[in-house]
Amino acid sequence: MRVLIIEDEARIAKRLDRMASNYFEQNSTISICDSVQKGMAHIDNNEIDLLLLDLNLNGENGFDLLESVVSRSFHTIIVSANTDKAIMAFEYGVLDFVPKPFDEIRLAQAFKRINYNVKPSDEALKFLAVKKAGNIKLIPIEDLLYIKGAGIYTELHLRNGKQELHDKSLESLELLLPDSFERIHKSYLVSLELAEKILIQPGSKYSLLLKSGEQLPIGRSKYKDLKNKII
């Protein structure tokens, strides 16, 4: 676990360092930056798996950094006293918002979301961000038709017929998307609100017919659970 802490208060940064080290034990490399500029430079030059980000950094706005990295493949956990910004943070796809002051138990709960595929329950993600030609393009969740895994990336298939490539894996997006999204196959995520019915095909194969008319494959291990969710 490669962790980057962006926190301008040295005492809090050291606490986060210690708690992250205790939780991830030997399987971690932890770096600390105390400003948005240093944090962006680190992200641009190093691979990370997890960002712990404060929102108020010596007068700098942590959202300036969050907007720049929202399409990256790593997870972000906000650690901030600015609880009034929690809803906005979840809309940007952060994994959790840990209010200050915090303790080791609360921080561990946030870390568990990574280890045990626990979805955030406070607020729903409103859009996904894709990086395109050096700019950030926001894709409203309601515009998604389905998501297809493409190795370490994902293809966002939109209702207007267009496609966008996202840097996050299918497993990472599954953690962030609303509960209506279901993993119906190792390579497909779809909102069941868009499902029409399950089709049974020769050879014990199954597919999901969407209201748009498209058909997506259903994994055999997913069929039993899925048929109970689609009326």
Side-chain angles (χ1 to χ4, degrees):
M1 182 64 67
R2 296 162 294 184
V3 182
L4 172 62
I5 298 168
I6 303 181
E7 168 61 66
D8 62 326
E9 294 186 53
R11 176 179 57 85
I12 295 177
K14 288 179 181 178
R15 283 191 70 211
L16 289 170
D17 186 349
R18 175 176 55 80
M19 291 179 182
S21 296
N22 289 343
Y23 185 86
F24 295 113
E25 297 179 338
Q26 303 300 321
N27 301 316
S28 63
T29 301
I30 300 174
S31 303
I32 299 174
C33 296
D34 61 4
S35 70
V36 168
Q37 184 176 1
K38 291 178 183 177
M40 277 305 307
H42 183 93
I43 291 169
D44 287 341
N45 292 288
N46 300 273
E47 293 291 331
I48 67 170
D49 303 304
L50 174 64
L51 170 63
L52 301 179
L53 174 66
D54 188 14
L55 294 179
N56 187 1
L57 298 154
N58 282 322
E60 292 182 310
N61 189 349
F63 272 105
D64 292 340
L65 184 141
L66 187 60
E67 290 174 3
S68 299
V69 303
V70 69
S71 65
R72 303 290 186 96
S73 59
F74 54 81
H75 281 304
T76 299
I77 294 173
I78 301 295
V79 183
S80 173
N82 298 99
T83 53
D84 58 319
K85 303 294 186 181
I87 292 177
M88 186 186 299
F90 278 110
E91 289 178 354
Y92 274 88
V94 303
L95 192 63
D96 204 347
F97 191 109
V98 177
K100 292 179 179 177
F102 59 91
D103 58 25
E104 198 154 1
I105 294 175
R106 179 61 184 89
L107 195 63
Q109 288 174 345
F111 292 154
K112 284 180 182 177
R113 299 193 191 282
I114 303 168
N115 289 3
Y116 300 108
N117 295 342
V118 179
K119 287 190 176 185
S121 58
D122 301 302
E123 299 293 337
L125 183 69
K126 298 293 179 65
F127 53 81
L128 293 176
V130 296
K131 198 168 186 179
K132 203 167 187 179
N135 297 313
I136 300 296
K137 180 178 180 180
L138 301 179
I139 308 294
I141 296 299
E142 61 188 17
D143 289 351
L144 290 175
L145 184 59
Y146 62 90
I147 303 174
K148 181 180 179 181
I152 61 173
Y153 303 102
T154 48
E155 296 173 2
L156 308 182
H157 291 252
L158 309 181
R159 297 193 193 195
N160 62 8
K162 295 183 179 180
Q163 297 179 24
E164 300 285 355
L165 191 66
H166 199 287
D167 281 350
K168 280 187 169 64
S169 67
L170 207 62
E171 289 74 18
S172 295
L173 289 183
E174 189 176 7
L175 290 177
L176 299 175
L177 288 165
D179 289 335
S180 61
F181 279 81
E182 187 79 18
R183 186 77 169 266
I184 65 168
H185 184 277
K186 65 180 182 179
S187 299
Y188 289 91
L189 267 171
V190 64
S191 173
L192 295 189
E193 295 174 357
L194 303 178
E196 183 69 33
K197 62 180 178 180
I198 293 176
L199 302 177
I200 301 176
Q201 300 166 330
S204 297
K205 294 183 179 180
Y206 310 97
S207 62
L208 184 66
L209 177 65
L210 304 184
K211 293 176 181 178
S212 65
E214 290 193 58
Q215 293 183 35
L216 304 179
I218 297 174
R220 290 189 180 184
S221 63
K222 306 287 185 181
Y223 169 69
K224 289 184 179 180
D225 184 48
L226 194 60
K227 71 176 183 179
N228 294 325
K229 297 181 179 179
I230 297 179
I231 301 174

